[in-house]
Amino acid sequence: MTEYFEVHDRDGPARRSELRLTESLKTPGLIDGKLVDAGSKWTGDIDEPDGDESVLTVLPHRALPGGTPTEVQQAFAVAYPDVDFPSAAVISPETAKDHGADVYILSNAQKIAGHAAAFVDAVIQTRGAIPADTALYLPGVATPGNVATLAYAGIDLFDTDQAVLKGLQGKYLTTDGEAFLEDLEELPCACPACQIPREEFDREDCAEHNEHALRAALATVRERIRAERLRDYIEGQARHEQWWTASFRRLDQQYSYLEQRTPVCRQSEITAATDDTLRRVEIQRYAERVTSRYRCRFDKPLVLVPCSAKKPYSQSQSHGQFHDAIQFRAHLVSITSPIGVVPQELELTYPAQQYDSVVTGHWSATETEFVADVLQAYLEQIDYPRIIAHLPKEYREICERATDGLDIEFEYTAVDHPTTSESLSNLASTLSDESKYMKRERQHNTIRAIADYQFGKGAGDELFSDLQVGSRYPKLRAKDEAGEQLAMLVPEYGLLALTIAGARRWVESDTPTKRVEIDSFVPHGSVLAPGVVDASEDIRVGDEVVIEGPQAFGVGRATMSGPEMKTSTRGVASSVRHVEEK
Ligand SMILES: [Zn+2]
């Protein structure tokens, strides 16, 4: 039972949390001065420590060097006592499990620091074995440069040992790496230690500077997590050293670890400034859902257009011009890096209106490949009567790659640029024989397409078999034939929020329901983690969830992943939008 550690904000595997000692400590942060080690059992029997709430007590341990065979580690494993003060257990990735401690200390930290593969494997193995609401401490390795990457992977606690040691060795640390003090003509820092003339600045001052720089770097990390934008930061910052970059790229290959910890919607922006952005969970998940869950319900030609900088696209000048030329006679799909393809019904759906990319007029080879692959997967599963590519000529390579091997012919209508009057008139005339679809059809298709995207393939037809849509786009309300409201479209995320009636349809349908099973009580406003009896494994932050217990049936939005709800003993697991007593 973790009484002394609580997670407040999550940003992928990174968390902003609090270690509740007498004087509370913010994490990711430094444990210096707050740690009492009860000692190693190798030196003989040790009495159980008394402990107190002002410090974190490291329980008697028996650490082994990294690389010790698992059987040997298990043979010497320590049974940790159940204590009622803030405590830490020393573990290795191989012996990590729930010992009832608030903090877990990785004993092989020195060995894995600097080695991306070993580090990522160790963190994933350890995080998978200890409860979500406990802190992970990597002793003796933190520097101002590496803490952002380490925190991004899921490390919560650090110390100043390495920064001080490097200072005493004459190495001056910053967030972009390290320099030999002798090589510096100027001190590139405004911390108190650096306020003396360069020639008087010695190694002791350097150690003091390193400590300041580490504290500042950790504050930056905490603020980035709070803003939900740590990833944007490390895509740039981690580039300064190979093992930092290698670590987050290796982490990107551990998709399920990241996916479980990445919300399905949020309001923070995604800056797409590097090819690494294409591997973000948010981007991969959107592409995966559009090419596997989405179904086009318009019986019309497809018109491919470039995205606009303004979001949602339909509010932009260029898309206004495309719309005037198309006049409800075609299905509009935007081609964009880094999202891939965005069908018109999903233009609001996260992250289609939350990303901002660097526009240079040229796409990198990686972007071209990614977008072409997504477009190809999209075209393979949707059968359009005609495909019109109303795209600038730079997109020609994408079109050719996407149709390579497919029996599909594009009709090209843009001359030079898609918004020239000649291009727009070509687009209008190529559609002259096509009939228009009705506004009601567009609204129905939007609700159903979002349901498919959000709840799974076929959900749009199952949950909304009979449908009336009210209000103006984007604030659409979905009702059944009798006029009872089932859901509303939340314009900020482009996802549906269900009513009780909508949630009942979900439960009764063949679409897998995301369920939070609770104890015998009626929740109001939220469900706390200790009240959760069971939760679906595939629940992600931001997901709609059905909340059910012996006394209540409700619907809300998850604020933890399913696995985290099950293992956490603190914090809000889900909001509750509507609830009925049984
Ligand atoms: Zn300084």
Side-chain angles (χ1 to χ4, degrees):
M1 175 89 175
T2 314
E3 286 175 49
Y4 299 99
F5 186 71
E6 182 168 354
V7 179
H8 293 303
D9 304 300
R10 296 161 184 81
D11 187 14
R15 305 97 58 80
R16 206 173 64 101
S17 323
E18 189 182 351
L19 184 61
R20 295 178 193 275
L21 307 179
T22 310
E23 194 185 325
S24 155
L25 194 148
K26 287 177 187 162
T27 75
L30 299 169
I31 192 70
D32 293 68
K34 302 281 186 189
L35 197 70
V36 171
D37 190 350
S40 167
K41 289 200 171 196
W42 291 121
T43 57
D45 280 343
I46 302 175
D47 291 336
E48 194 172 303
D50 294 331
D52 77 79
E53 299 201 340
S54 66
V55 290
L56 179 69
T57 301
V58 184
L59 299 169
H61 49 91
R62 206 185 270 136
L64 287 155
T68 307
T70 307
E71 318 80 76
V72 179
Q73 293 197 38
Q74 281 161 354
F76 286 100
V78 174
Y80 286 104
D82 195 12
V83 296
D84 56 5
F85 50 81
S87 67
V90 178
I91 51 156
S92 71
E94 292 79 18
T95 61
K97 63 171 187 160
D98 183 1
H99 290 290
D102 306 287
V103 174
Y104 291 86
I105 305 176
L106 262 183
S107 62
N108 64 341
Q110 307 280 347
K111 201 173 165 67
I112 58 176
H115 303 280
F119 166 68
V120 169
D121 289 350
V123 173
I124 289 177
Q125 196 176 347
T126 307
R127 269 272 160 237
I130 60 176
D133 59 347
T134 57
L136 187 54
Y137 171 25
L138 201 62
V141 300
T143 64
N146 68 24
V147 283
T149 303
L150 299 178
Y152 177 71
I155 307 291
D156 306 289
L157 278 172
F158 306 95
D159 55 51
T160 59
D161 293 7
Q162 181 76 342
V164 169
L165 178 70
K166 291 234 177 196
L168 297 174
Q169 292 168 344
K171 287 174 186 158
Y172 187 94
L173 306 180
T174 56
T175 52
D176 59 2
E178 65 179 49
F180 286 106
L181 187 53
E182 299 88 85
D183 295 343
L184 289 178
E185 203 175 294
E186 271 188 67
L187 301 172
C189 174
C191 86
C194 296
Q195 300 311 300
I196 54 173
R198 169 68 190 90
E199 54 282 9
E200 288 171 29
F201 191 89
D202 62 15
R203 289 184 173 199
E204 300 242 324
D205 299 317
C206 190
E208 200 186 320
H209 154 81
N210 286 354
E211 199 180 324
H212 281 296
L214 178 57
R215 288 182 192 279
L218 283 163
T220 301
V221 169
R222 289 193 298 270
E223 278 303 305
R224 278 277 167 174
I225 295 172
R226 201 165 65 86
E228 303 177 331
R229 300 196 62 175
L230 183 58
R231 170 68 188 221
D232 293 347
Y233 176 68
I234 64 159
E235 278 187 19
Q237 188 268 336
R239 250 150 232 279
H240 294 294
E241 194 167 308
Q242 286 179 0
W243 91 267
W244 312 339
T245 311
S247 292
F248 91 80
R249 287 194 179 153
R250 280 211 169 247
L251 206 52
D252 278 347
Q253 292 162 10
Q254 301 292 331
Y255 187 74
S256 61
Y257 179 76
L258 292 181
E259 196 279 331
Q260 187 190 315
R261 291 162 175 82
T262 303
V264 294
C265 63
R266 45 187 182 173
Q267 281 184 312
S268 55
E269 205 177 82
I270 290 176
T271 300
T274 78
D275 282 351
D276 288 310
T277 308
L278 296 172
R279 281 186 293 274
R280 285 183 69 142
V281 168
E282 297 92 330
I283 303 300
Q284 295 286 332
R285 190 190 265 149
Y286 190 93
E288 194 269 326
R289 290 188 181 191
V290 166
T291 54
S292 67
R293 296 182 173 191
Y294 171 78
R295 179 164 84 75
C296 179
R297 291 177 170 82
F298 292 95
D299 182 22
K300 297 285 173 223
L302 165 66
V303 174
L304 294 169
V305 295
C307 68
S308 60
K310 188 172 172 64
K311 318 279 182 326
Y313 305 140
S314 58
Q315 302 291 311
S316 73
Q317 195 186 0
S318 61
H319 281 240
Q321 291 170 314
F322 301 149
H323 175 77
D324 291 344
I326 293 170
Q327 289 291 327
F328 306 105
R329 292 174 297 185
H331 182 231
L332 194 73
V333 170
S334 301
I335 302 284
T336 171
S337 176
I339 309 279
V341 300
V342 180
Q344 63 182 61
E345 307 95 299
L346 300 178
E347 67 159 2
L348 298 174
T349 303
Y350 181 84
Q353 57 170 337
Q354 277 85 1
Y355 77 95
D356 196 11
S357 52
V358 177
V359 180
T360 58
H362 293 283
W363 288 15
S364 72
T366 315
E367 285 179 301
T368 300
E369 188 185 342
F370 172 76
V371 176
D373 285 351
V374 177
L375 180 59
Q376 180 166 59
Y378 180 82
L379 294 174
E380 273 174 338
Q381 48 118 29
I382 299 176
D383 203 10
Y384 286 101
R386 296 168 64 191
I387 299 177
I388 296 146
H390 192 69
L391 295 163
K393 57 179 183 303
E394 308 91 85
Y395 288 59
R396 194 59 84 98
E397 189 188 343
I398 290 170
C399 296
E400 282 163 8
R401 288 178 73 136
T403 50
D404 188 29
L406 300 182
D407 185 21
I408 289 176
E409 284 291 325
F410 280 7
E411 300 168 47
Y412 293 96
T413 46
V415 185
D416 295 331
H417 200 270
T419 52
T420 62
S421 41
E422 191 184 358
S423 297
L424 292 167
S425 115
N426 279 351
L427 178 58
S429 63
T430 200
L431 294 168
S432 58
D433 292 337
E434 303 290 342
S435 60
K436 293 186 179 187
Y437 58 77
M438 307 294 284
K439 182 177 158 199
R440 197 182 62 184
E441 185 183 352
R442 181 176 57 165
Q443 292 180 333
H444 285 200
N445 289 355
T446 299
I447 292 289
R448 289 186 173 126
I450 293 173
D452 288 340
Y453 178 95
Q454 187 173 359
F455 300 109
K457 196 170 186 167
D461 294 333
E462 293 213 20
L463 271 60
F464 303 102
S465 48
D466 55 320
L467 181 61
Q468 296 185 61
V469 178
S471 297
R472 263 173 70 91
Y473 183 82
K475 293 183 175 174
L476 298 180
R477 289 173 191 278
K479 298 171 185 176
D480 67 11
E481 260 170 0
E484 181 164 24
Q485 189 170 323
L486 301 172
M488 66 172 288
L489 171 57
V490 183
E492 293 81 8
Y493 306 120
L495 296 172
L496 299 172
L498 298 174
T499 62
I500 288 283
R504 289 204 190 280
R505 283 204 174 193
W506 190 15
V507 171
E508 287 156 15
S509 77
D510 287 338
T511 304
T513 315
K514 296 189 176 182
R515 283 172 180 277
V516 178
E517 192 188 328
I518 58 169
D519 267 330
S520 196
F521 64 94
V522 181
H524 294 286
S526 61
V527 172
L528 298 176
V532 175
V533 175
D534 200 6
S536 307
E537 277 289 314
D538 58 353
I539 294 171
R540 301 290 173 259
V541 172
D543 266 335
E544 286 289 294
V545 288
V546 166
I547 300 150
E548 194 164 15
Q551 288 190 48
F553 180 89
V555 63
R557 186 151 281 180
T559 50
M560 286 181 184
S561 70
E564 189 169 4
M565 285 182 195
K566 286 197 280 188
T567 62
S568 288
T569 49
R570 275 184 171 273
V572 177
S574 174
S575 70
V576 179
R577 185 180 311 117
H578 306 288
V579 66
E580 272 179 6
E581 274 188 56
K582 280 189 181 172

